[in-house]
Amino acid sequence: MIKNTISSSILICIALFTLASCGDKQSKASPEQSVQPQEKFAWKLVTSWPKNFPGLGMAPEKFANYVNAMSNGRLTVKVYGAGELVPGFEVFDAVSQGTVQMGHSGSYYWKGKIPASPIFSAIPFGMTATEFNAWLHYGGGMELWQELYKPFGIKPMPGGNSGAQFGGWFKKEINSVADLQGLKMRIPGLAGEVLKNAGAIPVTLTGGEIFSALQSGAIDATEWVGPYNDLAFGFYQAADYYYASVWHEPGTGLEFLVNQEAFDALPADLQSIVEIAANAANESTLAEYNARNNAALKTLIEEHNVQLRKFPAEVMQALKYHTDELIKEQVKADKDFARVWLSYSEFLASMKEYNKLTLQAYYENR
């Protein structure tokens, strides 16, 4: 009787152990069996810059690397420089039409389509880079930007910032407003219109076209970005005078343009990765410019004998006057411009007052 009981107990234990073991194997196997192959996405990103150009051209490269790494290859982004797939000034259309999934450019190039678009890149005598980013993320700027681009099927995202840009390269000195009369200068956006009202002739060129135009005399002057990029383009070989005065682009925001349908087709986690990568590239690009500009300026002056200049007060006052007048005209002419400008200008006014108490006072004390 006892032997039978023991034998029964042993059999029960063996059975339970076997069932448990089977259960463990099943529970361990089930996650593997339940994993389904995840869909992969391959995006094309076109830009308005030469491939791998320092600063501007590296922002989309950084973005692509971030996305590829964070998604573990589920979303790959291949970057094309200006002209490789589409011309630099056709980035907006390529993204809007779905020819490519993404673009990287500057919003002021689309003024003909969206009169208010330059506000999301650079306004003469406007916000600095830190003020601009604050407005976008915490002052209502992003919401307005997305509203403007929505009819075109595009979702905009911040794509870097070059910080305060230099006044540009000139073949002759600018000693008065009279020296601006008839001056042919490569300068885009609202700044070009300001310069036109001051008597100059604005010309719009992509980055890759500027040097030859300046060297040949097709233009008399050009702005581009600042020492870091200007050194790379070799403008010192075509113009003698480099004006450091900041007025036209005090904090130039770049943009990622994302085709809305392509974005909506991504699963939620990949959508988040795209947004996070864009923000990371935005911050990294500004840091790169802040770190590189000073060293590049030193090289231009000490090794290439560049003559650094500042615009006379008379010229700066005239540019400010024409900027204010142009803004008034734009506000009257376009309701979207007026709506965005109201938000932008109110935020700028509050930041100016705060910065007088903090950064401006600190710079003077330092």
Side-chain angles (χ1 to χ4, degrees):
M1 184 74 176
I2 295 175
K3 288 182 180 180
N4 290 338
T5 303
I6 292 173
S7 298
S8 299
S9 299
I10 292 173
L11 289 172
I12 292 170
C13 288
I14 292 173
L16 291 172
F17 178 78
T18 302
L19 288 171
S21 297
C22 290
D24 287 342
K25 288 179 182 178
Q26 289 175 352
S27 64
K28 290 177 182 177
S30 59
E32 296 177 4
Q33 293 170 353
S34 65
V35 171
Q36 300 296 322
Q38 292 179 307
E39 185 176 1
K40 292 186 176 181
F41 301 84
W43 280 13
K44 295 177 182 178
L45 192 164
V46 295
T47 79
S48 295
W49 333 113
K51 177 73 172 175
N52 292 324
F53 185 69
L56 303 178
M58 291 309 297
E61 300 288 348
K62 291 175 183 178
F63 169 84
N65 290 335
Y66 295 153
V67 169
N68 296 348
M70 286 192 288
S71 71
N72 196 28
R74 290 169 54 212
L75 173 58
T76 56
V77 180
K78 185 173 181 180
V79 180
Y80 296 86
E84 289 187 323
L85 282 185
V86 300
F89 288 150
E90 294 182 17
V91 169
F92 188 98
D93 289 339
V95 177
S96 178
Q97 295 164 7
T99 305
V100 296
Q101 293 79 20
M102 282 194 70
H104 187 260
S105 192
S107 67
Y108 48 28
Y109 292 140
W110 327 130
K111 185 180 183 299
K113 302 177 186 295
I114 309 172
S117 65
I119 300 176
F120 296 96
S121 187
I123 291 289
F125 301 98
M127 291 190 195
T128 64
T130 52
E131 291 169 340
F132 178 70
N133 280 330
W135 174 62
L136 284 182
H137 294 294
Y138 296 99
M142 276 304 308
E143 291 80 1
L144 291 168
W145 198 5
Q146 290 169 355
E147 286 177 21
L148 286 180
Y149 280 32
K150 187 175 181 180
F152 298 90
I154 292 177
K155 180 181 179 67
M157 298 179 186
N161 199 300
S162 65
Q165 294 198 7
F166 273 37
W169 296 83
F170 293 74
K171 289 193 168 187
K172 68 174 185 179
E173 288 190 85
I174 304 299
N175 296 312
S176 67
V177 175
D179 292 323
L180 298 177
Q181 307 307 303
L183 183 85
K184 292 176 292 184
M185 181 173 183
R186 183 272 176 191
I187 185 168
L190 292 179
E193 295 185 45
V194 169
L195 207 60
K196 180 180 179 180
N197 292 343
I201 303 171
V203 179
T204 301
L205 299 170
T206 60
E209 301 172 299
I210 299 174
F211 181 82
S212 60
L214 187 63
Q215 189 177 47
S216 69
I219 56 175
D220 306 308
T222 185
E223 64 79 42
W224 180 228
V225 180
Y228 182 39
N229 283 158
D230 295 358
L231 174 62
F233 264 12
F235 291 140
Y236 59 88
Q237 301 173 59
D240 292 328
Y241 304 103
Y242 195 24
Y243 280 81
S245 301
V246 178
W247 73 275
H248 70 299
E249 298 185 29
T252 310
L254 306 172
E255 65 178 359
F256 285 113
L257 303 136
V258 186
N259 179 273
Q260 188 68 59
E261 287 188 8
F263 184 81
D264 292 342
L266 296 177
D269 63 327
L270 291 185
Q271 290 180 349
S272 294
I273 284 174
V274 168
E275 292 176 329
I276 291 168
N279 281 331
N282 186 52
E283 293 296 329
S284 177
T285 302
L286 177 59
E288 181 181 0
Y289 275 108
N290 286 337
R292 305 296 187 202
N293 271 329
N294 188 56
L297 180 60
K298 187 176 181 181
T299 298
L300 286 168
I301 294 172
E302 296 181 0
E303 297 183 20
H304 300 295
N305 301 314
V306 167
Q307 299 184 49
L308 198 63
R309 296 285 189 273
K310 291 184 179 180
F311 291 128
E314 171 195 341
V315 172
M316 293 297 285
Q317 290 167 4
L319 294 173
K320 181 66 167 65
Y321 168 78
H322 288 297
T323 295
D324 292 342
E325 292 301 304
L326 179 63
I327 294 295
K328 292 176 185 177
E329 293 173 9
Q330 295 291 314
V331 166
K332 291 180 180 178
D334 186 79
K335 63 179 182 180
D336 285 332
F337 190 102
R339 188 163 57 95
V340 177
W341 178 251
L342 178 62
S343 172
Y344 181 100
S345 59
E346 287 181 348
F347 194 87
L348 174 59
S350 66
M351 291 300 295
K352 284 169 66 175
E353 292 302 314
Y354 182 77
N355 285 335
K356 283 180 183 178
L357 297 172
T358 55
L359 290 177
Q360 186 172 330
Y362 170 70
Y363 287 148
E364 293 173 356
N365 292 335
R366 187 170 67 176

